Amino acid sequence: MNTFEYVVVSIDGDYANLKRLDAESDEVKLVARALLPPEIREGTKLKYEMMQYEIIA
C-alpha cells in the first residue's frame, strides 16, 4: 500500500486543504475534516496510509 505525506495548508469549515510533501505539485487536496485527526491545525503534517490520516512530527 502507498504512503503519502501532506501538510494542512488551510481549514475551511468542515474541510481542510492538504498539499503533498513527498511529491512536487502545486495542487491541493480537499478533504473532509471528519476523515482527519480532530487536533489538526494549519501547518500540521499528516501521513496517509491504509486509508487513514495520522499526525506526524
Short mmCIF file of all heavy atoms in Angstrom, two decimals:
data_model
loop_
_atom_site.label_atom_id
_atom_site.label_comp_id
_atom_site.label_asym_id
_atom_site.label_seq_id
_atom_site.Cartn_x
_atom_site.Cartn_y
_atom_site.Cartn_z
N MET A 1 0.84 -1.18 0.00
CA MET A 1 0.00 0.00 0.00
C MET A 1 0.89 1.25 0.00
O MET A 1 1.94 1.26 0.61
CB MET A 1 -0.88 -0.03 1.24
CG MET A 1 -2.02 0.94 1.14
SD MET A 1 -3.64 0.37 1.60
CE MET A 1 -4.43 -0.03 0.13
N ASN A 2 0.45 2.29 -0.66
CA ASN A 2 1.24 3.52 -0.75
C ASN A 2 1.09 4.37 0.50
O ASN A 2 0.06 4.36 1.16
CB ASN A 2 0.80 4.33 -1.97
CG ASN A 2 1.15 3.64 -3.26
OD1 ASN A 2 2.08 2.86 -3.31
ND2 ASN A 2 0.41 3.92 -4.30
N THR A 3 2.13 5.13 0.78
CA THR A 3 2.13 6.08 1.88
C THR A 3 2.42 7.46 1.31
O THR A 3 3.31 7.62 0.48
CB THR A 3 3.22 5.71 2.91
OG1 THR A 3 2.97 4.41 3.40
CG2 THR A 3 3.24 6.69 4.06
N PHE A 4 1.63 8.46 1.74
CA PHE A 4 1.81 9.82 1.27
C PHE A 4 1.92 10.75 2.47
O PHE A 4 1.35 10.49 3.52
CB PHE A 4 0.60 10.27 0.42
CG PHE A 4 0.34 9.38 -0.75
CD1 PHE A 4 -0.73 8.51 -0.74
CD2 PHE A 4 1.17 9.40 -1.86
CE1 PHE A 4 -0.99 7.69 -1.81
CE2 PHE A 4 0.92 8.58 -2.95
CZ PHE A 4 -0.16 7.72 -2.92
N GLU A 5 2.65 11.85 2.31
CA GLU A 5 2.78 12.86 3.35
C GLU A 5 2.15 14.16 2.86
O GLU A 5 2.34 14.56 1.71
CB GLU A 5 4.24 13.08 3.72
CG GLU A 5 4.84 11.90 4.44
CD GLU A 5 6.25 12.16 4.92
OE1 GLU A 5 6.72 13.31 4.84
OE2 GLU A 5 6.90 11.20 5.36
N TYR A 6 1.40 14.80 3.77
CA TYR A 6 0.70 16.04 3.46
C TYR A 6 0.94 17.06 4.56
O TYR A 6 1.32 16.70 5.69
CB TYR A 6 -0.82 15.80 3.39
CG TYR A 6 -1.27 14.94 2.25
CD1 TYR A 6 -1.46 13.58 2.41
CD2 TYR A 6 -1.55 15.50 1.01
CE1 TYR A 6 -1.90 12.79 1.36
CE2 TYR A 6 -1.98 14.71 -0.04
CZ TYR A 6 -2.16 13.35 0.14
OH TYR A 6 -2.59 12.58 -0.91
N VAL A 7 0.69 18.32 4.24
CA VAL A 7 0.66 19.38 5.24
C VAL A 7 -0.69 20.09 5.08
O VAL A 7 -1.19 20.24 3.97
CB VAL A 7 1.84 20.38 5.10
CG1 VAL A 7 1.79 21.12 3.79
CG2 VAL A 7 1.88 21.33 6.28
N VAL A 8 -1.28 20.45 6.21
CA VAL A 8 -2.56 21.18 6.18
C VAL A 8 -2.25 22.62 5.80
O VAL A 8 -1.59 23.34 6.53
CB VAL A 8 -3.27 21.11 7.55
CG1 VAL A 8 -4.57 21.90 7.50
CG2 VAL A 8 -3.52 19.67 7.96
N VAL A 9 -2.74 23.04 4.63
CA VAL A 9 -2.50 24.38 4.13
C VAL A 9 -3.51 25.35 4.72
O VAL A 9 -3.17 26.45 5.13
CB VAL A 9 -2.56 24.41 2.58
CG1 VAL A 9 -2.41 25.82 2.05
CG2 VAL A 9 -1.51 23.50 2.00
N SER A 10 -4.76 24.94 4.76
CA SER A 10 -5.81 25.79 5.31
C SER A 10 -6.99 24.93 5.74
O SER A 10 -7.15 23.79 5.28
CB SER A 10 -6.26 26.84 4.30
OG SER A 10 -6.83 26.22 3.17
N ILE A 11 -7.79 25.50 6.63
CA ILE A 11 -9.00 24.84 7.10
C ILE A 11 -10.16 25.77 6.79
O ILE A 11 -10.13 26.96 7.10
CB ILE A 11 -8.91 24.54 8.61
CG1 ILE A 11 -7.77 23.57 8.88
CG2 ILE A 11 -10.24 23.99 9.12
CD1 ILE A 11 -7.48 23.34 10.35
N ASP A 12 -11.18 25.21 6.15
CA ASP A 12 -12.35 26.00 5.75
C ASP A 12 -13.60 25.24 6.19
O ASP A 12 -14.08 24.36 5.47
CB ASP A 12 -12.33 26.22 4.24
CG ASP A 12 -13.45 27.13 3.79
OD1 ASP A 12 -13.99 27.87 4.62
OD2 ASP A 12 -13.77 27.10 2.58
N GLY A 13 -14.10 25.55 7.37
CA GLY A 13 -15.30 24.89 7.88
C GLY A 13 -15.07 23.41 8.11
O GLY A 13 -14.21 23.01 8.88
N ASP A 14 -15.84 22.59 7.40
CA ASP A 14 -15.76 21.14 7.57
C ASP A 14 -14.73 20.48 6.67
O ASP A 14 -14.66 19.25 6.59
CB ASP A 14 -17.13 20.50 7.28
CG ASP A 14 -18.16 20.85 8.35
OD1 ASP A 14 -17.75 21.14 9.49
OD2 ASP A 14 -19.36 20.80 8.04
N TYR A 15 -13.91 21.29 5.99
CA TYR A 15 -12.93 20.76 5.06
C TYR A 15 -11.54 21.33 5.33
O TYR A 15 -11.41 22.42 5.88
CB TYR A 15 -13.33 21.08 3.61
CG TYR A 15 -14.62 20.40 3.22
CD1 TYR A 15 -15.84 21.05 3.39
CD2 TYR A 15 -14.61 19.11 2.71
CE1 TYR A 15 -17.03 20.42 3.07
CE2 TYR A 15 -15.80 18.48 2.38
CZ TYR A 15 -17.00 19.12 2.56
OH TYR A 15 -18.17 18.50 2.24
N ALA A 16 -10.53 20.57 4.93
CA ALA A 16 -9.15 21.04 5.03
C ALA A 16 -8.49 20.87 3.67
O ALA A 16 -8.77 19.91 2.94
CB ALA A 16 -8.39 20.23 6.08
N ASN A 17 -7.62 21.80 3.32
CA ASN A 17 -6.84 21.73 2.09
C ASN A 17 -5.47 21.18 2.43
O ASN A 17 -4.75 21.75 3.27
CB ASN A 17 -6.72 23.12 1.46
CG ASN A 17 -8.03 23.61 0.92
OD1 ASN A 17 -8.62 22.98 0.07
ND2 ASN A 17 -8.50 24.72 1.43
N LEU A 18 -5.12 20.07 1.79
CA LEU A 18 -3.84 19.41 2.04
C LEU A 18 -2.95 19.50 0.82
O LEU A 18 -3.41 19.38 -0.31
CB LEU A 18 -4.07 17.93 2.39
CG LEU A 18 -5.06 17.60 3.48
CD1 LEU A 18 -5.12 16.09 3.69
CD2 LEU A 18 -4.71 18.30 4.78
N LYS A 19 -1.65 19.69 1.06
CA LYS A 19 -0.66 19.74 -0.01
C LYS A 19 0.33 18.62 0.20
O LYS A 19 0.80 18.39 1.31
CB LYS A 19 0.06 21.09 0.01
CG LYS A 19 1.03 21.27 -1.14
CD LYS A 19 1.63 22.67 -1.10
CE LYS A 19 2.53 22.99 -2.25
NZ LYS A 19 3.46 21.99 -2.64
N ARG A 20 0.64 17.89 -0.87
CA ARG A 20 1.60 16.79 -0.79
C ARG A 20 2.99 17.32 -0.48
O ARG A 20 3.44 18.31 -1.03
CB ARG A 20 1.70 16.04 -2.12
CG ARG A 20 0.57 15.13 -2.47
CD ARG A 20 0.68 13.70 -2.01
NE ARG A 20 1.83 12.94 -2.41
CZ ARG A 20 1.87 12.11 -3.44
NH1 ARG A 20 0.83 11.96 -4.22
NH2 ARG A 20 2.96 11.43 -3.69
N LEU A 21 3.68 16.64 0.42
CA LEU A 21 5.06 17.00 0.76
C LEU A 21 6.06 16.10 0.05
O LEU A 21 7.20 16.49 -0.15
CB LEU A 21 5.28 16.87 2.27
CG LEU A 21 4.55 17.86 3.16
CD1 LEU A 21 4.78 17.52 4.62
CD2 LEU A 21 5.01 19.28 2.86
N ASP A 22 5.64 14.90 -0.31
CA ASP A 22 6.56 13.92 -0.87
C ASP A 22 6.55 13.89 -2.40
O ASP A 22 7.12 13.01 -3.01
CB ASP A 22 6.26 12.54 -0.31
CG ASP A 22 4.82 12.11 -0.56
OD1 ASP A 22 4.00 12.96 -0.92
OD2 ASP A 22 4.52 10.91 -0.38
N ALA A 23 5.89 14.87 -3.02
CA ALA A 23 5.87 14.97 -4.48
C ALA A 23 5.77 16.43 -4.87
O ALA A 23 5.14 17.22 -4.18
CB ALA A 23 4.68 14.20 -5.04
N GLU A 24 6.39 16.78 -5.98
CA GLU A 24 6.36 18.17 -6.45
C GLU A 24 5.03 18.44 -7.14
O GLU A 24 4.74 17.87 -8.19
CB GLU A 24 7.51 18.41 -7.43
CG GLU A 24 8.86 18.24 -6.77
CD GLU A 24 9.71 19.47 -6.94
OE1 GLU A 24 9.27 20.42 -7.60
OE2 GLU A 24 10.81 19.47 -6.38
N SER A 25 4.21 19.26 -6.51
CA SER A 25 2.91 19.61 -7.08
C SER A 25 2.39 20.84 -6.36
O SER A 25 2.59 21.01 -5.16
CB SER A 25 1.93 18.45 -6.90
OG SER A 25 0.66 18.83 -7.34
N ASP A 26 1.72 21.70 -7.11
CA ASP A 26 1.11 22.88 -6.52
C ASP A 26 -0.37 22.65 -6.20
O ASP A 26 -1.03 23.52 -5.68
CB ASP A 26 1.24 24.08 -7.46
CG ASP A 26 2.67 24.58 -7.54
OD1 ASP A 26 3.41 24.40 -6.55
OD2 ASP A 26 3.05 25.14 -8.58
N GLU A 27 -0.86 21.46 -6.52
CA GLU A 27 -2.26 21.15 -6.29
C GLU A 27 -2.52 20.90 -4.81
O GLU A 27 -1.67 20.40 -4.09
CB GLU A 27 -2.66 19.90 -7.06
CG GLU A 27 -2.64 20.08 -8.57
CD GLU A 27 -3.10 18.83 -9.28
OE1 GLU A 27 -3.96 18.12 -8.75
OE2 GLU A 27 -2.57 18.58 -10.36
N VAL A 28 -3.71 21.27 -4.37
CA VAL A 28 -4.14 20.95 -3.01
C VAL A 28 -5.30 19.98 -3.09
O VAL A 28 -6.06 19.95 -4.06
CB VAL A 28 -4.54 22.21 -2.21
CG1 VAL A 28 -3.34 23.08 -1.93
CG2 VAL A 28 -5.63 22.98 -2.90
N LYS A 29 -5.43 19.18 -2.06
CA LYS A 29 -6.47 18.15 -1.99
C LYS A 29 -7.47 18.58 -0.93
O LYS A 29 -7.09 18.87 0.21
CB LYS A 29 -5.81 16.82 -1.63
CG LYS A 29 -6.74 15.67 -1.50
CD LYS A 29 -5.94 14.41 -1.19
CE LYS A 29 -6.86 13.22 -1.06
NZ LYS A 29 -6.09 12.00 -0.81
N LEU A 30 -8.74 18.62 -1.27
CA LEU A 30 -9.79 18.98 -0.34
C LEU A 30 -10.27 17.72 0.36
O LEU A 30 -10.71 16.76 -0.30
CB LEU A 30 -10.95 19.65 -1.09
CG LEU A 30 -12.07 20.21 -0.25
CD1 LEU A 30 -11.57 21.37 0.61
CD2 LEU A 30 -13.21 20.68 -1.15
N VAL A 31 -10.17 17.69 1.70
CA VAL A 31 -10.52 16.50 2.48
C VAL A 31 -11.47 16.91 3.59
O VAL A 31 -11.26 17.92 4.27
CB VAL A 31 -9.25 15.86 3.10
CG1 VAL A 31 -9.60 14.66 3.95
CG2 VAL A 31 -8.27 15.46 2.01
N ALA A 32 -12.50 16.12 3.80
CA ALA A 32 -13.45 16.37 4.89
C ALA A 32 -12.74 16.21 6.23
O ALA A 32 -11.98 15.26 6.43
CB ALA A 32 -14.62 15.40 4.81
N ARG A 33 -12.94 17.16 7.13
CA ARG A 33 -12.28 17.11 8.44
C ARG A 33 -12.69 15.89 9.24
O ARG A 33 -11.94 15.45 10.11
CB ARG A 33 -12.58 18.38 9.22
CG ARG A 33 -11.84 19.57 8.61
CD ARG A 33 -11.96 20.81 9.41
NE ARG A 33 -11.35 20.64 10.74
CZ ARG A 33 -11.51 21.51 11.72
NH1 ARG A 33 -12.23 22.59 11.54
NH2 ARG A 33 -10.94 21.31 12.89
N ALA A 34 -13.84 15.31 8.96
CA ALA A 34 -14.28 14.10 9.65
C ALA A 34 -13.32 12.93 9.40
O ALA A 34 -13.25 12.00 10.21
CB ALA A 34 -15.68 13.72 9.21
N LEU A 35 -12.55 12.99 8.31
CA LEU A 35 -11.59 11.94 7.98
C LEU A 35 -10.21 12.18 8.59
O LEU A 35 -9.35 11.31 8.53
CB LEU A 35 -11.44 11.81 6.47
CG LEU A 35 -12.73 11.47 5.70
CD1 LEU A 35 -12.47 11.53 4.21
CD2 LEU A 35 -13.25 10.12 6.12
N LEU A 36 -10.02 13.35 9.18
CA LEU A 36 -8.72 13.75 9.72
C LEU A 36 -8.73 13.73 11.24
O LEU A 36 -9.79 13.83 11.85
CB LEU A 36 -8.37 15.16 9.22
CG LEU A 36 -8.34 15.35 7.71
CD1 LEU A 36 -8.21 16.82 7.35
CD2 LEU A 36 -7.21 14.55 7.10
N PRO A 37 -7.54 13.63 11.86
CA PRO A 37 -7.49 13.71 13.32
C PRO A 37 -8.09 15.04 13.80
O PRO A 37 -7.86 16.08 13.17
CB PRO A 37 -6.00 13.64 13.64
CG PRO A 37 -5.38 12.97 12.46
CD PRO A 37 -6.22 13.39 11.28
N PRO A 38 -8.86 15.05 14.89
CA PRO A 38 -9.55 16.27 15.32
C PRO A 38 -8.63 17.40 15.76
O PRO A 38 -9.03 18.55 15.74
CB PRO A 38 -10.42 15.79 16.49
CG PRO A 38 -9.85 14.49 16.92
CD PRO A 38 -9.16 13.90 15.73
N GLU A 39 -7.39 17.10 16.13
CA GLU A 39 -6.49 18.14 16.65
C GLU A 39 -5.65 18.82 15.57
O GLU A 39 -4.71 19.56 15.89
CB GLU A 39 -5.58 17.57 17.74
CG GLU A 39 -4.77 16.36 17.35
CD GLU A 39 -5.52 15.04 17.53
OE1 GLU A 39 -6.58 15.01 18.14
OE2 GLU A 39 -5.01 14.04 17.02
N ILE A 40 -5.98 18.64 14.29
CA ILE A 40 -5.19 19.28 13.24
C ILE A 40 -5.33 20.80 13.28
O ILE A 40 -6.35 21.33 13.72
CB ILE A 40 -5.56 18.78 11.82
CG1 ILE A 40 -6.99 19.16 11.47
CG2 ILE A 40 -5.28 17.31 11.66
CD1 ILE A 40 -7.29 19.11 10.00
N ARG A 41 -4.30 21.48 12.84
CA ARG A 41 -4.26 22.94 12.68
C ARG A 41 -3.52 23.21 11.37
O ARG A 41 -2.89 22.32 10.81
CB ARG A 41 -3.48 23.60 13.83
CG ARG A 41 -4.01 23.32 15.22
CD ARG A 41 -5.28 24.12 15.48
NE ARG A 41 -5.82 23.85 16.80
CZ ARG A 41 -6.85 23.05 17.07
NH1 ARG A 41 -7.46 22.42 16.11
NH2 ARG A 41 -7.28 22.90 18.29
N GLU A 42 -3.56 24.45 10.91
CA GLU A 42 -2.77 24.81 9.72
C GLU A 42 -1.30 24.54 10.02
O GLU A 42 -0.80 24.90 11.09
CB GLU A 42 -3.00 26.26 9.34
CG GLU A 42 -4.40 26.50 8.79
CD GLU A 42 -4.62 27.93 8.36
OE1 GLU A 42 -3.66 28.72 8.31
OE2 GLU A 42 -5.79 28.26 8.06
N GLY A 43 -0.62 23.89 9.11
CA GLY A 43 0.79 23.55 9.29
C GLY A 43 1.02 22.15 9.83
O GLY A 43 2.14 21.68 9.86
N THR A 44 -0.04 21.47 10.26
CA THR A 44 0.09 20.10 10.77
C THR A 44 0.51 19.18 9.64
O THR A 44 -0.04 19.23 8.54
CB THR A 44 -1.25 19.61 11.36
OG1 THR A 44 -1.65 20.46 12.41
CG2 THR A 44 -1.12 18.19 11.89
N LYS A 45 1.48 18.31 9.91
CA LYS A 45 1.93 17.33 8.91
C LYS A 45 1.20 16.01 9.16
O LYS A 45 1.04 15.58 10.30
CB LYS A 45 3.44 17.13 9.00
CG LYS A 45 4.20 18.36 8.57
CD LYS A 45 5.68 18.12 8.61
CE LYS A 45 6.42 19.40 8.23
NZ LYS A 45 7.87 19.21 8.32
N LEU A 46 0.76 15.40 8.05
CA LEU A 46 -0.01 14.17 8.13
C LEU A 46 0.60 13.09 7.25
O LEU A 46 1.20 13.37 6.22
CB LEU A 46 -1.45 14.41 7.65
CG LEU A 46 -2.26 15.45 8.39
CD1 LEU A 46 -3.52 15.78 7.62
CD2 LEU A 46 -2.62 14.94 9.78
N LYS A 47 0.40 11.86 7.69
CA LYS A 47 0.78 10.71 6.87
C LYS A 47 -0.52 10.00 6.51
O LYS A 47 -1.39 9.79 7.36
CB LYS A 47 1.68 9.76 7.66
CG LYS A 47 2.02 8.47 6.91
CD LYS A 47 2.99 7.61 7.67
CE LYS A 47 2.28 6.92 8.81
NZ LYS A 47 3.10 5.90 9.47
N TYR A 48 -0.67 9.65 5.23
CA TYR A 48 -1.83 8.92 4.75
C TYR A 48 -1.38 7.52 4.38
O TYR A 48 -0.51 7.34 3.52
CB TYR A 48 -2.44 9.61 3.53
CG TYR A 48 -3.61 8.86 2.95
CD1 TYR A 48 -4.86 8.92 3.54
CD2 TYR A 48 -3.47 8.10 1.79
CE1 TYR A 48 -5.94 8.24 3.01
CE2 TYR A 48 -4.54 7.42 1.24
CZ TYR A 48 -5.77 7.49 1.86
OH TYR A 48 -6.84 6.81 1.33
N GLU A 49 -1.93 6.54 5.07
CA GLU A 49 -1.54 5.15 4.84
C GLU A 49 -2.72 4.27 5.19
O GLU A 49 -3.39 4.48 6.20
CB GLU A 49 -0.33 4.80 5.69
CG GLU A 49 0.23 3.43 5.46
CD GLU A 49 1.51 3.21 6.26
OE1 GLU A 49 1.53 3.58 7.45
OE2 GLU A 49 2.46 2.68 5.69
N MET A 50 -2.99 3.28 4.36
CA MET A 50 -4.08 2.33 4.57
C MET A 50 -5.41 3.04 4.82
O MET A 50 -6.14 2.70 5.76
CB MET A 50 -3.72 1.37 5.72
CG MET A 50 -2.50 0.52 5.39
SD MET A 50 -2.09 -0.68 6.64
CE MET A 50 -3.48 -1.78 6.51
N MET A 51 -5.66 4.07 4.02
CA MET A 51 -6.91 4.81 4.04
C MET A 51 -7.16 5.57 5.35
O MET A 51 -8.29 5.85 5.73
CB MET A 51 -8.10 3.90 3.71
CG MET A 51 -7.97 3.28 2.33
SD MET A 51 -9.25 2.11 1.90
CE MET A 51 -10.71 3.07 2.04
N GLN A 52 -6.08 5.92 6.07
CA GLN A 52 -6.20 6.68 7.31
C GLN A 52 -5.14 7.77 7.35
O GLN A 52 -4.02 7.59 6.87
CB GLN A 52 -6.01 5.78 8.53
CG GLN A 52 -7.12 4.80 8.72
CD GLN A 52 -6.95 4.03 10.02
OE1 GLN A 52 -5.88 3.99 10.62
NE2 GLN A 52 -8.01 3.39 10.46
N TYR A 53 -5.51 8.90 7.96
CA TYR A 53 -4.58 10.01 8.17
C TYR A 53 -4.09 9.98 9.61
O TYR A 53 -4.87 9.76 10.53
CB TYR A 53 -5.28 11.35 7.90
CG TYR A 53 -5.62 11.59 6.45
CD1 TYR A 53 -6.84 11.21 5.93
CD2 TYR A 53 -4.69 12.18 5.60
CE1 TYR A 53 -7.16 11.43 4.61
CE2 TYR A 53 -4.99 12.40 4.27
CZ TYR A 53 -6.23 12.02 3.78
OH TYR A 53 -6.51 12.24 2.46
N GLU A 54 -2.78 10.24 9.78
CA GLU A 54 -2.17 10.24 11.09
C GLU A 54 -1.20 11.43 11.18
O GLU A 54 -0.49 11.72 10.24
CB GLU A 54 -1.39 8.92 11.25
CG GLU A 54 -0.56 8.79 12.47
CD GLU A 54 0.23 7.47 12.45
OE1 GLU A 54 -0.27 6.46 11.93
OE2 GLU A 54 1.37 7.49 12.95
N ILE A 55 -1.20 12.10 12.33
CA ILE A 55 -0.29 13.24 12.53
C ILE A 55 1.13 12.73 12.70
O ILE A 55 1.36 11.74 13.42
CB ILE A 55 -0.72 14.07 13.75
CG1 ILE A 55 -2.08 14.74 13.48
CG2 ILE A 55 0.34 15.13 14.09
CD1 ILE A 55 -2.63 15.51 14.66
N ILE A 56 2.07 13.39 12.02
CA ILE A 56 3.48 13.06 12.16
C ILE A 56 4.23 14.29 12.65
O ILE A 56 3.76 15.41 12.52
CB ILE A 56 4.10 12.53 10.85
CG1 ILE A 56 3.92 13.52 9.71
CG2 ILE A 56 3.52 11.20 10.48
CD1 ILE A 56 4.60 13.11 8.41
N ALA A 57 5.41 14.07 13.21
CA ALA A 57 6.20 15.19 13.73
C ALA A 57 6.86 15.97 12.63
O ALA A 57 7.05 15.56 11.56
CB ALA A 57 7.27 14.66 14.68
#
